[in-house]
């Protein structure tokens, strides 16, 4: 007969509740600071809703009124070196952390608010309104608030999107030897997001000092949490991943503070991540100044019951009960805060001369200059000012023949040897003598703490790398085994990493390198064979390099690792075993950003290509009877780095262009490039830009069908024959 033995979690899961003794013994300065912050956050949010109702906030105004206890209580247990990020409903999270930063000693509610508090609230309000004096010059608005110096590393509009980034911040703390911790705030919607669950696992596996702080406000827009999960006690997720977890009444700010104190002590001791679930309640609808009952997804009675437990009222009652503040002093603080916000608003608002009396508008001088719209999508490349740039034509070192895959491993070894900030991560890169292709050969033995084999969770480890890069102390190098896996991590690549610099004002450096291989022709089929160049070329923020020779790989990888922008480094399986010119003992040169290579000079037609297709093109143009083609290897593929000087010079000579690539027609890189060439060089073209691409379908497993789906030298040769007949 079978037996059943009850199992228990290895990690504890507890509910923390305060007693009267906790409130009676709490430090008066803690309680007055707590109360002051709660009131400031509440009044600030009410002022924002008032501006929104008058059309002065462009976009959403996701208020946190009712939820202040969780943010304030938790932030009071943190220091400026600790980092936090949060959700689209993140005003309270941002303000709690930054108020703690400007006044770590606490804020006295009986004294006038300081100039530091005024500046903080003014810049926050300006950012929410989209104005130039905001923290991100108005680009972030309500949902993207960041002040890195205060440890507020950015709220996030993608549900669950900021959780992996916070893991990167926690990783930076751990690698640096600091006892700082990271906190990521998210809600009952994000708890079921794949990237969040992946990050639970990754943080636990790597013992990251990261607190997963769940603000369970009961509703994702209008859907109750009990409708979407079989376990509505969301902190139950933690022990399943080996994460100690606390469930706390989020309307009780002291309980939150005590739970966070316990969690931070655990994390600062190097024991790994923690989880806190705070049961809170948003008094208003998802966006705007109306209660949820106005939309009939919750009742007025429910709202009234939660309001009876208001965190501000609870804290005030204990302050007066203990004679720390009089009732008059407690009441006066709210009035003082409202006058303070009105005065701050006067810096941003003025009477609208085009409207009736009493109507206000944003001061025209506060808006950002429209010319600022594209500034800071990428960096200015000033990091290259003092480095040795060398192309093959002016390289002074000795050259030998070497394998492409050796260049991949050798240059990474060289850079890790000279730069302690480089951290490499990816699936299986620490095993198999350098991963599945040998690209990280020998690195784990030499740099055991900086070569990290990851779980199969691209969203989590890519986002972690993004957060690590955003921290500024490290340069992560991420390997994707196949380029198709980028779509698994698409949110982190495109919504997060690619937009970080621009979204937060243009000054944030994001030095991340993403390596991935294109495996067209290997028989790995539709989900392991794509060329992602065209998709990345449409994404702002990324730079793209595509080396076709060992010499170029070394110089381009050096440049990618130096660059302060995220860089995609494409590698092709066809090239790994190829040989070419290889520096004997000099791996420290940099190929210039935005410089193409002319692989063959010619006068009849300009053939533009990249990556492994370069060799196929060279084979095709060398055949008997082929036109005298000039072959340009782009090397840099992002829009900002196209070498128009080299392309233009060639087109003015040949008056004909053929774009050649291997990948499918639907994701063709040449589509946008052909359009741009025809716009720039129409007067020099004797015919439309011609193209060679793969077929419509993704490559199949069948050797015959796969070959039919991709382009190589035969397709180039046929197209060249057609072009000369036109």
């Amino acid at each position: 007969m079978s037996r059943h033995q009850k199992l228990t979690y290895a990690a504890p899961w507890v509910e923390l509740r305060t007693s009267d003794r906790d409130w009676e013994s709490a430090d008066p300065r803690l309680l007055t600071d707590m109360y002051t912050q709660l009131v400031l956050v509440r009044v600030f949010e009410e002022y924002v809703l008032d501006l929104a109702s008058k059309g002065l906030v462009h976009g959403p105004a996701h208020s946190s009124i009712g939820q202040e206890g969780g943010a304030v209580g938790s932030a009071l247990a943190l220091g400026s070196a600790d980092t936090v990020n949060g959700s689209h409903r993140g005003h309270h999270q941002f303000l709690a952390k930054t108020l703690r930063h400007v006044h770590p000693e606490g804020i006295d509610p009986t004294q006038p608010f300081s100039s530091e508090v005024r500046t903080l609230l003014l810049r926050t309000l300006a950012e929410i309104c989209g104005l130039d004096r905001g923290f991100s010059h108005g680009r972030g608005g309500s949902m993207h608030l960041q002040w890195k110096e205060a440890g507020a590393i950015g709220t996030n509009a993608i549900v669950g999107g900021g959780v992996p980034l916070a893991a990167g911040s926690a990783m930076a703390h751990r690698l640096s030897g600091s006892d700082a911790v990271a906190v990521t705030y998210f809600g009952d919607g994000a708890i079921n997001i794949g990237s969040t669950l992946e990050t639970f696992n990754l943080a636990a596996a790597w013992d990251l000092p990261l607190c997963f702080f769940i603000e369970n406000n009961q509703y994702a827009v209008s859907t109750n949490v009990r409708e979407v999960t079989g376990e509505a006690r969301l902190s139950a997720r933690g022990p399943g991943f080996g994460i100690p977890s606390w469930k706390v009444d989020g309307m009780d700010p002291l309980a939150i503070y005590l739970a966070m104190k316990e969690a931070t002590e655990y994390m600062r001791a190097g024991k790994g991540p923690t989880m806190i679930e705070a049961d809170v309640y948003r008094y208003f609808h998802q966006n705007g100044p109306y209660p949820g009952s106005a939309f009939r997804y919750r009742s007025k009675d429910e709202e009234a019951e939660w309001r009876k437990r208001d965190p501000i009222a609870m804290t005030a009652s204990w302050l007066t009960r203990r004679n720390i503040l009089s009732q008059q002093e407690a009441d006066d603080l709210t009035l003082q805060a409202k006058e303070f916000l009105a005065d701050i608003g006067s810096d941003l608002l003025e009477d609208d001369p085009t409207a009736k009396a009493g109507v206000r508008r944003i001061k025209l001088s506060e808006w950002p200059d429209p010319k600022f719209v594209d500034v800071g999508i990428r960096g200015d490349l000033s990091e290259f000012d003092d480095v040795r740039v060398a192309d093959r034509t002016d390289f002074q070192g000795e050259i030998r023949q070497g394998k492409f895959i050796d260049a991949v491993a050798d240059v990474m070894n060289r850079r890790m040897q000279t730069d302690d900030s480089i951290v490499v991560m990816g699936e299986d890169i620490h095993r198999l003598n350098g991963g599945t292709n040998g690209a990280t050969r020998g690195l784990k033995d030499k740099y055991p703490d900086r070569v990290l084999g990851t779980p199969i969770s691209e969203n989590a480890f890519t986002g972690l790398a993004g957060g690590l890069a955003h921290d500024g102390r490290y340069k992560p190098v991420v390997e994707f085994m196949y380029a198709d896996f980028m779509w698994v991590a698409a949110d982190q690549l495109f919504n997060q990493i690619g937009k970080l610099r621009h979204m937060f004002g243009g000054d944030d450096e994001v030095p991340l390198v993403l390596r991935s291989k294109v495996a067209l022709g290997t028989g790995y089929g539709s989900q392991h064979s794509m060329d992602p160049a065209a998709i990345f070329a449409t994404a702002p923020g990324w730079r793209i390099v595509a080396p076709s020779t060992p010499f170029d790989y070394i110089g381009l990888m050096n440049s990618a690792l130096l660059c302060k922008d995220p860089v995609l480094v494409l590698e092709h399986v066809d090239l790994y075993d190829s040989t070419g010119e290889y520096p004997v003992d000099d791996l420290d040169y940099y190929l210039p950003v935005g410089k193409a290579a002319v692989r063959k000079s010619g006068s009849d037609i300009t053939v533009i290509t990249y990556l492994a297709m370069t060799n196929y093109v060279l084979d095709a143009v060398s055949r008997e009877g082929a036109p005298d083609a000039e072959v340009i290897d782009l090397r840099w593929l992002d829009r900002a780095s196209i070498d128009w000087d080299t392309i233009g010079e060639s087109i003015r000579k040949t008056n004909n262009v053929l774009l050649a690539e291997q990948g499918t027609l639907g994701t063709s890189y040449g589509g946008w490039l052909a359009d741009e060439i025809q716009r720039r060089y129409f007067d020099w073209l004797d015919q439309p830009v011609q193209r060679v691409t793969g077929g419509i379908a993704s490559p199949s497993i069948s050797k015959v069908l796969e070959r039919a789906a991709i382009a190589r030298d035969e397709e180039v040769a046929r197209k060249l024959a057609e072009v000369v007949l036109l």
Side-chain angles (χ1 to χ4, degrees), residues 351-402:
D351 291 333
D352 187 345
T354 67
K356 61 183 180 181
V359 175
R360 306 277 277 169
R361 71 176 185 185
I362 301 291
K363 290 180 180 178
L364 300 183
S365 59
E366 292 294 327
W367 293 107
D369 188 332
K371 295 178 182 177
F372 186 61
V373 62
D374 288 333
V375 173
I377 293 175
R378 300 172 181 85
D380 62 6
L381 300 177
S382 57
E383 59 267 32
F384 288 86
D385 288 349
D386 298 320
V387 301
R388 178 168 61 91
V389 173
D391 213 329
R392 180 65 192 91
T393 55
D394 52 14
F395 182 74
Q396 300 298 313
E398 185 180 351
I399 292 291
R400 63 177 173 86
Q401 290 292 300

Side-chain angles (χ1 to χ4, degrees), residues 473-696:
R473 289 175 284 181
Y474 297 94
K475 298 176 184 177
V477 179
V478 174
E479 177 183 307
F480 276 4
M481 201 175 291
Y482 292 92
D484 307 67
F485 300 171
M486 293 171 181
W487 311 133
V488 179
D491 174 46
Q492 295 302 318
L493 294 173
F494 302 126
N495 276 326
Q496 309 297 340
I497 295 167
K499 295 178 181 178
L500 278 174
R501 179 190 282 271
H502 183 264
M503 184 170 67
F504 288 124
D507 296 324
D508 284 18
E509 297 174 349
V510 191
L512 179 148
V513 171
L514 172 62
R515 292 181 45 248
S516 192
K517 67 188 178 193
V518 176
L520 289 162
T522 62
Y524 268 73
S526 296
Q527 295 177 330
H528 287 69
S529 303
M530 80 169 300
D531 176 354
I535 306 299
F536 268 84
T538 67
W542 282 91
R543 297 186 187 272
I544 312 166
V545 297
S548 63
T549 71
F551 180 91
D552 279 8
Y553 189 94
I554 292 167
L556 289 171
M557 177 54 81
N558 283 335
S559 294
L561 286 168
L562 180 65
C563 189
K564 300 300 185 181
D565 298 320
V567 182
L568 169 64
V569 178
L570 290 177
E571 301 165 12
H572 199 294
V573 173
D574 282 358
L575 295 173
Y576 281 155
D577 287 332
S578 67
T579 59
E581 293 184 320
Y582 200 109
V584 172
D585 54 10
D586 180 1
L587 302 181
D588 298 328
Y589 60 94
Y590 298 81
L591 278 179
V593 176
K595 184 63 178 174
V598 177
R599 300 299 183 194
K600 175 186 175 299
S601 296
S603 59
D604 291 342
I605 187 168
T606 300
V607 184
I608 300 173
T609 187
Y610 63 94
L611 210 63
M613 194 62 167
T614 304
N615 291 333
Y616 291 120
V617 168
L618 290 171
D619 286 344
V621 301
S622 66
R623 295 181 182 182
E624 185 176 354
D628 183 22
E630 181 147 292
V631 179
I632 297 177
D633 180 357
L634 288 171
R635 299 198 294 198
W636 293 86
L637 306 183
D638 58 278
R639 291 171 182 260
S641 307
I642 294 295
D643 186 354
W644 293 115
D645 290 340
T646 297
I647 292 172
E649 182 180 352
S650 181
I651 291 173
R652 292 183 185 95
K653 178 172 56 173
T654 68
N655 309 118
N656 292 286
V657 179
L658 172 64
L659 304 181
E661 58 186 310
Q662 281 197 293
T664 59
L665 181 63
T667 55
S668 166
Y669 178 81
W672 81 267
L673 188 59
D675 174 74
E676 188 67 23
I677 287 173
Q678 291 184 153
R679 292 175 187 277
R680 288 175 180 252
Y681 304 109
F682 181 82
D683 289 343
W684 284 275
L685 292 172
D686 288 344
Q687 60 180 309
V689 174
Q690 302 297 312
R691 294 168 58 196
V692 170
T693 74
I696 297 173

Side-chain angles (χ1 to χ4, degrees), residues 216-489:
N216 186 356
N217 68 10
Q218 320 302 313
Y219 291 91
V221 187
S222 63
T223 302
N224 188 276
V225 63
R226 291 170 180 80
E227 297 178 62
V228 295
T229 181
E231 173 54 89
R233 298 171 301 172
L234 303 181
S235 48
R237 307 285 201 281
F241 288 92
I243 301 174
S245 300
W246 289 256
K247 182 173 174 58
V248 191
D249 178 6
M251 308 302 274
D252 181 344
L254 182 60
I256 295 291
Y257 170 78
L258 294 174
M260 183 58 84
K261 287 286 285 184
E262 293 179 9
T264 54
E265 288 173 5
Y266 181 92
M267 293 184 290
R268 293 191 205 285
K271 297 179 179 179
T274 58
M275 181 178 293
I276 295 175
E277 177 190 6
D279 287 319
V280 295
Y281 199 76
R282 55 173 167 85
Y283 292 169
F284 294 95
H285 180 53
Q286 166 78 354
N287 177 32
Y290 301 102
S293 57
F295 299 88
R296 299 185 179 180
Y297 61 85
R298 61 190 191 194
S299 69
K300 292 182 179 179
D301 289 342
E302 177 185 302
E303 292 171 344
E305 285 301 312
W306 279 93
R307 281 181 176 269
K308 289 178 183 178
R309 300 168 49 219
D310 186 87
I312 295 177
M314 174 184 286
T315 308
S317 69
W318 277 104
L319 286 168
T320 55
R321 180 173 171 177
R322 290 184 55 187
N323 295 317
I324 297 171
L325 291 181
S326 68
Q327 187 62 55
Q328 187 64 52
E329 288 173 324
D331 294 342
D332 285 348
L333 182 64
T334 299
L335 296 175
Q336 179 189 354
K338 289 182 177 180
E339 293 173 356
F340 192 56
L341 261 296
D343 179 64
I344 289 171
S346 68
D347 283 12
L348 305 177
L349 305 176
E350 64 184 3
D351 291 333
D352 187 345
T354 67
K356 61 183 180 181
V359 175
R360 306 277 277 169
R361 71 176 185 185
I362 301 291
K363 290 180 180 178
L364 300 183
S365 59
E366 292 294 327
W367 293 107
D369 188 332
K371 295 178 182 177
F372 186 61
V373 62
D374 288 333
V375 173
I377 293 175
R378 300 172 181 85
D380 62 6
L381 300 177
S382 57
E383 59 267 32
F384 288 86
D385 288 349
D386 298 320
V387 301
R388 178 168 61 91
V389 173
D391 213 329
R392 180 65 192 91
T393 55
D394 52 14
F395 182 74
Q396 300 298 313
E398 185 180 351
I399 292 291
R400 63 177 173 86
Q401 290 292 300
K403 291 183 69 172
F404 191 98
I405 191 61
D406 291 339
V408 177
D410 288 351
V411 70
M412 187 58 64
N413 175 57
R414 175 60 178 162
R415 293 283 68 81
M416 294 188 77
Q417 184 183 63
T418 59
D419 187 348
D420 291 340
S421 71
I422 295 174
V423 180
V424 183
M425 63 186 75
E427 296 158 3
D428 292 306
I429 65 167
H430 60 317
R431 299 277 192 267
L432 308 176
N433 194 28
T436 55
N437 291 99
T440 51
R441 184 184 60 248
L443 298 184
K444 181 64 176 178
D445 293 336
K446 294 180 180 179
Y447 317 102
D449 297 329
R450 294 193 284 137
V451 177
L452 308 173
T454 66
I456 300 175
S457 50
E458 283 83 2
N459 242 321
F461 70 75
T462 301
L464 182 148
L468 190 61
H470 194 219
D471 174 85
R473 289 175 284 181
Y474 297 94
K475 298 176 184 177
V477 179
V478 174
E479 177 183 307
F480 276 4
M481 201 175 291
Y482 292 92
D484 307 67
F485 300 171
M486 293 171 181
W487 311 133
V488 179

